[in-house]
Amino acid sequence: MSIAERMITRHIMTRGVFTPGKKTFALALMLALAVPVSAKLDTDKVYEPVSPTVEQARANILIARQLQFTHFRDMSINDSLSGDVFDAYLNYLDGQRIYLTQKDIDKISAVRSGLGSALKTGQLQPGFDIYNLVQQRIIERLEFALALIDDGIDKLDFSADERILLDRSDADWEADREALDALWVKRIKNAVLAQRLNDSDDGSIKEALRRRYEGQLKRAYQARSEDAFQAYMNAFTGMWDPHTSYFSPRTSENFNINMSLSLEGIGAVLQSDNEYTKVVRLVPGGPASKQGQLEPADRIVSVKQEDEEKPVNVIGWRLDEVVDLIRGPRESTVTLEVIPADAPDETVTETIAITRDKVKLEEQSASKEVIEFERDNDTYRIGVINIPTFYADFKAMQAGDPNYKSTTRDVRKLIDELKAEEVDGVVIDLRNNGGGALHEANDLVGLFIEEGPTVQIRNSNNDVQVLNDEDPSVAYDGPLVVLVNRMSASASEIFAGAIQDYGRGLVVGSQTFGKGTVQAVRPLNHGQLKITQSKFYRVSGGSTQHKGVIPDIEIPSRVDKTRIGEDALDRALPWDQIEAVPHARYFDFSGIIDELRKRHDNRFEEHPEFSLLQKEIEFLKQQREREYVSLNLEKRKEHHSQIERTRLTIANARRDIHGEEAFESLDELDDWQDQQAAEPDNADDELDFIIREGGNIMADMLELDQRMASILNPKQITAQAQAR
């Protein structure tokens, strides 16, 4: 019996995790993989395969039980699921299909249909064997890349009419090692071209690429049992929905720190995205949000500390290691090199310096301003309330502090101030508001309606709980517009949906995120399980899940909906509908909505900012639709020049709108952006045209129906409701 066979047999027979009858399955996988216990490559280092522990096996069994009996989605662990777990696991380990070959896939496919039953009973060895194989293939590829670089990047041919597929997630696996070699030559060429186009010389490029691949190689050799277990469990839990996931003990610690908002860092939520670490969202009031350059869907290329000369390339790093690198002491500076979310390709990067700090509750607070509109002989004063998150100082509230801060309490004060300033209408800005405290969304709706339901919550047993506003008082009964965008999620969607269902105001902007599920974190013997246990529904019965809130008047956005949003996530729970709950209808906009949309469209057709936005969206769409990029130097230069010309043209068009002098070069534009980021307090704070358009729509409402003020009188609403 080989060493590997003895290892698996000992694991099966001594740990009490597998039954003797399951031994055949584990041995079959080992023989199919034909992976030695230690693989020595062209180096003095040896990869030592990782093995599962008893604690991990027990956690696996607990996770399987929780998923089957407590998750909102009723789903069994069967042979069909086995194949899906197999595919998801490979996608997690080699999502771009650049490490494994078709020959490898053929070998490991022997166990494809057996993973479900193995996961039910804590048989982790199959998943670990696949993980070990992938790690060895990663090492082989990185060794190949380093050898190619050492041979001289000047020997690479950039004159041929070659191209490379940008996204290989749906590509065929390369047939064998020779075909994979050819693919990796193209990958190295693409990496070299990208840096040459950013004006790096070959010496710097060679050094940068060596650091990148050596760093990845070092981490491949340092693979840990917990890395394999977390990857395998998340492929498994992800079958139920994208928000259900396993946290290892270390990840649990990071999660708990983030939830307490005591983390000293940049205030950004990150996740793995193939070889990159991607920004999911920014914490309102956090350093990154205040600095203003980092955006959701940006991908991090490198991280540099203020006391280091050179950045550390983090492509291919584990998420927890990238988090540790970005985290640091308060008032220190970390510099991120990112590929912006709206970058036309990976050759465009941006350097962002962020000073670390704690996220302060007061910097997440709601704020207000008043804008004025001249219409014929009338002047309309519109109050704008910006709500970056749904927050509450739970500690102060539990301590009995009568002045504790919360979204609802702060907005009530702002409304009183705006009424004292005699505004004609109010715009609530929820753009980029990712949610927060559910009870605050409930209470905030209550500021604008009399008593009534605000949201329904259905659990896995189909029991429905209805949250209500039980306070009959109304803080504001005048005209209302709610601004949303793709980054408005969860509690924001509950508020916007309720305002829309009650006919209390108009929702304006772009389709929201569609996060309509509720998760609970449950402790395990080893780590934690974050599991989806219920779902939000509007008072009209429709779920906010997947579909989000569709605005009454839509404004296009630069955000790519195929990359950001619930419907862009694999296995997201679907939209559905339950019975509506009785609720009042404050105003019927059907009589004026067509005219409001017509006026909005006409205004935007004539608005230079909107015209420019449309050009930007079309340009980005064209770039995103490109499947291939050329590896021919001259063709690549021409494409890069075209991108730079377009960026400069758009930037100068915006400068012209504001009566500012045009930039003569892209370098001048980049320098100006760096200066603005370094001095955010001095940045151009001109009211953005989306807020102004919200105010214009409000003014249209007032013009089209002067009766609104009286219709929205709470006493008349009550009388109308009784009459119905």
Side-chain angles (χ1 to χ4, degrees):
M1 182 180 289
S2 71
I3 295 174
E5 289 174 314
R6 288 200 298 273
M7 178 184 74
I8 293 175
T9 303
R10 183 169 65 252
H11 183 87
I12 294 172
M13 304 305 293
T14 64
R15 296 191 175 183
V17 177
F18 310 119
T19 63
K22 302 287 175 59
K23 173 182 173 182
T24 306
F25 175 67
L27 288 176
L29 177 64
M30 181 277 300
L31 293 171
L33 294 178
V35 178
V37 172
S38 59
K40 194 174 190 317
L41 302 170
D42 296 331
T43 175
D44 58 351
K45 293 183 179 179
V46 173
Y47 174 71
E48 296 292 341
V50 295
S51 300
T53 67
V54 173
E55 291 77 16
Q56 290 168 346
R58 289 173 180 163
N60 171 202
I61 294 171
L62 290 172
I63 289 169
R65 289 175 181 170
Q66 295 266 19
L67 291 172
Q68 289 185 97
F69 301 120
T70 64
H71 194 281
F72 185 86
R73 175 176 262 160
D74 183 15
M75 194 163 66
S76 300
I77 302 175
N78 51 31
D79 290 345
S80 174
L81 186 74
S82 296
D84 291 338
V85 173
F86 180 85
D87 292 337
Y89 191 37
L90 288 182
N91 186 58
Y92 182 91
L93 297 175
D94 188 12
Q96 287 297 301
R97 305 191 173 193
I98 56 176
Y99 301 120
L100 298 176
T101 65
Q102 186 61 52
K103 288 184 178 180
D104 291 324
I105 301 301
D106 292 342
K107 288 179 181 178
I108 61 178
S109 291
V111 301
R112 178 187 180 92
S113 62
L115 293 184
S117 58
L119 285 163
K120 266 186 178 181
T121 52
Q123 292 188 82
L124 294 172
Q125 196 62 49
F128 273 66
D129 285 339
I130 293 173
Y131 182 87
N132 286 327
L133 173 66
V134 174
Q135 290 302 112
Q136 291 184 36
R137 295 296 184 255
I138 289 173
I139 290 171
E140 291 170 6
R141 286 298 102 207
L142 295 173
E143 291 282 0
F144 176 85
L146 287 166
L148 191 66
I149 293 167
D150 286 342
D151 192 44
I153 60 177
D154 58 315
K155 296 181 181 179
L156 297 172
D157 179 15
F158 295 101
S159 62
D161 191 15
E162 292 182 308
R163 62 180 189 167
I164 187 171
L165 184 64
L166 290 171
D167 181 5
R168 288 184 48 81
S169 57
D170 294 324
D172 293 333
W173 300 95
E174 296 295 341
D176 49 32
R177 181 173 296 192
E178 289 72 25
L180 210 51
D181 286 349
L183 171 63
W184 271 78
V185 171
K186 286 186 174 183
R187 284 174 57 82
I188 299 299
K189 285 184 177 181
N190 188 43
V192 171
L193 272 178
Q195 295 197 43
R196 281 184 178 176
L197 292 172
N198 284 329
D199 298 325
S200 295
D201 59 75
D202 281 2
S204 300
I205 294 172
K206 180 177 179 180
E207 181 184 359
L209 292 179
R210 275 206 65 87
R211 286 202 309 269
R212 176 193 301 185
Y213 295 127
E214 283 176 347
Q216 293 180 34
L217 188 61
K218 177 182 177 183
R219 275 148 191 84
Y221 277 118
Q222 293 174 343
R224 304 167 302 188
S225 173
E226 200 58 45
D227 298 331
F229 182 62
Q230 181 159 294
Y232 196 27
M233 286 304 98
N234 280 325
F236 180 40
T237 61
M239 294 296 99
W240 275 258
D241 85 305
H243 303 292
T244 296
S245 58
Y246 166 73
F247 295 158
S248 69
R250 184 180 182 187
T251 307
S252 297
E253 180 183 352
N254 286 335
F255 176 79
N256 293 335
I257 290 173
N258 279 319
M259 290 303 290
S260 69
L261 290 180
S262 65
L263 175 64
E264 289 184 348
I266 64 171
V269 178
L270 310 175
Q271 72 178 30
S272 294
D273 182 25
N274 291 314
E275 292 185 291
Y276 291 98
T277 296
K278 183 174 74 173
V279 178
V280 179
R281 64 180 178 86
L282 303 180
V283 178
S289 176
K290 289 163 62 179
Q291 196 269 358
Q293 282 183 288
L294 197 66
E295 296 284 351
D298 286 357
R299 289 172 291 168
I300 300 173
V301 174
S302 69
V303 180
K304 178 182 172 296
Q305 311 299 335
E306 64 181 10
D307 56 351
E308 295 177 353
E309 291 185 10
K310 295 180 180 179
V312 177
N313 189 286
V314 295
I315 298 175
W317 279 37
R318 290 191 298 259
L319 178 62
D320 60 343
E321 292 185 327
V322 178
V323 170
D324 286 345
L325 201 61
I326 293 174
R327 181 185 298 166
R330 186 180 180 185
E331 297 184 355
S332 61
T333 300
V334 62
T335 301
L336 308 181
E337 180 189 5
V338 304
I339 300 171
D342 58 359
D345 60 44
E346 294 181 1
T347 66
V348 178
T349 63
E350 185 177 36
T351 301
I352 303 172
I354 302 172
T355 301
R356 300 178 177 105
D357 202 350
K358 284 187 177 181
V359 178
K360 301 179 181 67
L361 186 62
E362 59 269 21
E363 291 175 345
Q364 298 182 321
S365 299
S367 59
K368 71 170 177 67
E369 58 187 316
V370 176
I371 54 179
E372 293 187 353
F373 295 89
E374 298 290 339
R375 295 289 185 89
D376 297 328
N377 296 323
D378 294 324
T379 298
Y380 294 103
R381 291 171 53 79
I382 309 299
V384 179
I385 298 178
N386 175 256
I387 305 175
T389 187
F390 286 85
Y391 54 89
D393 189 343
F394 293 106
K395 187 177 294 186
M397 184 168 51
Q398 291 170 354
D401 183 350
N403 298 314
Y404 75 88
K405 286 184 66 63
S406 76
T407 299
T408 306
R409 291 164 68 98
D410 289 349
V411 171
R412 185 187 292 273
K413 292 176 185 176
L414 296 177
I415 287 173
D416 289 342
E417 293 171 10
L418 289 174
K419 289 196 296 187
E421 296 180 62
E422 298 183 345
V423 297
D424 298 298
V426 170
V427 174
I428 301 290
D429 188 359
L430 295 181
R431 292 175 302 162
N432 302 319
N433 183 321
L438 173 61
H439 77 271
E440 285 301 317
N442 176 70
D443 293 347
L444 190 67
V445 174
L447 297 184
F448 302 95
I449 66 167
E450 291 190 333
E451 294 173 289
T454 60
V455 65
Q456 303 183 76
I457 306 171
R458 180 165 71 101
N459 64 23
S460 57
N461 295 325
N462 289 323
D463 296 327
V464 178
Q465 175 191 8
V466 180
L467 297 188
N468 289 278
D469 164 42
E470 298 178 354
D471 184 354
S473 66
V474 177
Y476 176 72
D477 60 4
L480 188 66
V481 166
V482 179
L483 294 179
V484 296
N485 64 5
R486 189 61 163 177
M487 299 309 299
S488 304
S490 195
S492 292
E493 296 173 293
I494 290 171
F495 176 82
I499 294 299
Q500 195 175 56
D501 288 341
Y502 273 93
R504 182 58 191 83
L506 283 179
V507 178
V508 175
S510 53
Q511 181 183 12
T512 60
F513 193 94
K515 171 66 166 63
T517 56
V518 185
Q519 287 72 42
V521 178
R522 297 180 178 174
L524 304 167
N525 67 300
H526 185 77
Q528 296 174 307
L529 177 67
K530 179 162 71 80
I531 187 168
T532 298
Q533 61 179 15
S534 50
K535 201 171 178 181
F536 290 131
Y537 294 83
R538 294 164 57 159
V539 295
S540 57
S543 175
T544 56
Q545 169 62 17
H546 206 279
K547 184 185 291 187
V549 176
I550 306 299
D552 300 296
I553 297 177
E554 294 205 41
I555 297 176
S557 168
R558 298 180 184 87
V559 175
D560 182 2
K561 289 185 179 181
T562 65
R563 296 176 60 189
I564 297 178
E566 189 76 8
D567 53 2
L569 301 176
D570 291 335
R571 296 183 174 271
L573 292 178
W575 179 88
D576 64 341
Q577 195 165 8
I578 61 175
E579 188 175 344
V581 289
H583 58 281
R585 184 76 182 174
Y586 284 69
F587 187 74
D588 182 3
F589 290 97
S590 60
I592 63 172
I593 190 65
D594 288 342
E595 179 63 22
L596 287 173
R597 288 171 180 156
K598 180 181 177 181
R599 291 189 179 196
H600 160 74
D601 290 342
N602 291 339
R603 198 158 44 239
F604 263 31
E605 285 178 7
E606 299 172 358
H607 200 297
E609 279 276 13
F610 177 69
S611 176
L612 194 56
L613 174 63
Q614 293 283 54
K615 290 179 182 178
E616 283 185 277
I617 292 172
E618 183 58 33
F619 169 67
L620 293 172
K621 181 182 177 183
Q622 290 174 1
Q623 299 306 314
R624 290 166 186 152
E625 289 175 348
R626 285 196 312 146
E627 295 183 357
Y628 292 88
V629 63
S630 176
L631 298 177
N632 178 280
L633 179 60
E634 296 307 316
K635 288 186 177 180
R636 192 68 168 268
K637 279 183 177 179
E638 174 53 33
H639 179 71
H640 187 70
S641 296
Q642 178 188 352
I643 290 172
E644 289 193 328
R645 288 194 298 269
T646 304
R647 285 183 61 205
L648 187 61
T649 298
I650 291 173
N652 281 336
R654 183 163 285 116
R655 300 276 289 181
D656 183 61
I657 290 171
H658 299 301
E660 298 168 335
E661 189 175 342
F663 296 115
E664 294 185 2
S665 67
L666 202 61
D667 288 340
E668 188 178 344
L669 167 61
D670 291 338
D671 289 343
W672 178 83
Q673 289 177 334
D674 290 342
Q675 181 182 357
Q676 294 295 100
E679 302 175 0
D681 292 338
N682 297 329
D684 180 8
D685 61 351
E686 181 173 346
L687 194 69
D688 77 65
F689 81 101
I690 301 297
I691 289 181
R692 186 163 289 278
E693 178 58 17
N696 269 313
I697 291 171
M698 176 70 70
D700 290 339
M701 290 165 60
L702 294 168
E703 278 188 351
L704 288 172
D705 199 328
Q706 294 296 332
R707 297 169 300 166
M708 182 174 291
S710 62
I711 291 177
L712 287 175
N713 183 284
K715 293 181 179 179
Q716 289 189 334
I717 293 168
T718 303
Q720 290 175 3
Q722 291 174 345
R724 289 196 295 269

